[in-house]
Amino acid sequence: MDLFTLEHVSKRYGDTVALAPVDLTVTEGRSLGIIGESGSGKTTLTRLMLGLSVPSSGTVRYLDQPVVPGRYGPSRLRREVQLVLQDPFASLNPRMTIGQIIAEPLRLLHVPGNRRELVRRAMKEVELDPAWASRYPHQLSGGQRQRVAIARAIAPNPRVLIADEPVSALDVSVRVTILALLRSLKERIGLTLVVVSHDLGIVQHLCEETMVLVSGRCVERGTTDQILHRPVHPATRELIAAVPSLPL
Ligand code: ADP
Ligand code: MG
């Protein structure tokens, strides 16, 4: 089943072409990696998918419904597509407890069920001790905070998790554990991931499909296996050469 369908979607900021027109389909069960150097348009593309940014041209659809930026209220997209960002410290409210942080989307999205129980379950899914629900973000390590951000994202039981540079702010040893967690969540709860990274090694670990952006243009797209073993574009070869050998 096609989750996202983008037709000729582009984004400009003044004279800057953040994203040249792109056609893209994200299919359920085929996780997508979006790779490219800093400034290549990766975050722009995810913001367009989420309706957080208005396209300069084209249309974005989620399950055949047009994604309309600025529309409020719990739509299917808001519940079924959740987001994890690079820096968990910046994205977690320091005045809220871990339990309150994870419960917030459940409250905002009116997710039915016992909220305390749903929070507990999400914490267990990300291997956080549910007793920590009363702690605050500053009492946790970077890796634990990213687990909280992931727990918050999966608590409403989404179909799609968009992860924008999910491990870039973490120490290398912690990166490996968070990548393993994302992979096991993907397999256990059948999530479709959209993973943004400048590191092809991360996408290799998590995604069946890969697209390569260079200066806002999609220069290559295919299965991750094709991209890794039979790259066509020189920029892709450079990204492959730059893959740090993570102990995955
Ligand atoms: P990436 O996530 O790959 O690092 P971005 O999508 O953030 O790249 O940015 C792509 C391009 O669009 C960059 O040149 C960036 O400076 C520009 N850009 C992104 N957001 C804005 C904005 N809100 N205003 C102006 N330019 C922006
Ligand atoms: Mg970015």
Side-chain angles (χ1 to χ4, degrees), residues 42-43 164-165 196:
K42 306 181 297 296
T43 296
D164 192 340
E165 304 274 9
V196 165

Side-chain angles (χ1 to χ4, degrees), residues 35-37 200 212-215 217 219-220 231-242:
I35 64 165
E37 292 184 341
L200 189 50
V212 182
L213 293 177
V214 175
S215 308
R217 270 169 213 289
V219 297
E220 187 151 345
V232 177
H233 197 275
T236 312
R237 295 201 196 104
E238 273 176 43
L239 287 163
I240 291 171

Side-chain angles (χ1 to χ4, degrees), residues 11-14 16-19 34-47 164-165 196-197 213 215-216:
K11 182 70 183 179
R12 313 172 132 265
Y13 293 101
T16 307
V17 178
L19 188 70
I34 304 170
I35 64 165
E37 292 184 341
S38 177
S40 58
K42 306 181 297 296
T43 296
T44 298
L45 177 54
T46 63
R47 290 179 56 82
D164 192 340
E165 304 274 9
V196 165
S197 183
L213 293 177
S215 308

Side-chain angles (χ1 to χ4, degrees), residues 153-169:
I154 63 165
N157 195 22
R159 284 167 95 162
V160 182
L161 185 70
I162 298 185
D164 192 340
E165 304 274 9
V167 298
S168 301

